Amino acid sequence: MKPTKNAMVPRPGLRIDLIPRELHLGIIGAAGAALALWVGAELVAVLPPAFLVSIRVRVRRI
């Protein structure tokens, strides 16, 4: 392996953290998704809101 002439530096990017919320919010998200599927809603329309209720998504620039 040959050494490079230019120094390698980290480039700015995104950091995405997925943190589970408290248990009761996870249960509410799962129950809401189950109820929506039970009444016949499309899976594509049900999962994103249930995911956002049960998981805290944090996006940061680094």
Side-chain angles (χ1 to χ4, degrees):
M1 181 175 4
K2 296 180 181 178
T4 60
K5 292 182 181 180
N6 299 329
M8 294 179 64
V9 295
R11 297 177 188 254
L14 288 177
R15 177 179 175 175
I16 301 172
D17 296 328
L18 301 175
I19 304 164
R21 292 188 187 258
E22 296 80 20
L23 181 60
H24 64 280
L25 287 175
I27 292 172
I28 291 171
L35 178 63
L37 288 175
W38 184 43
V39 297
E42 291 292 324
L43 187 65
V44 177
V46 171
L47 285 183
F51 178 76
L52 291 176
V53 166
S54 60
I55 302 291
R56 179 179 298 144
V57 180
R58 197 175 347 173
V59 179
R60 290 189 262 170
R61 287 184 58 190
I62 55 172

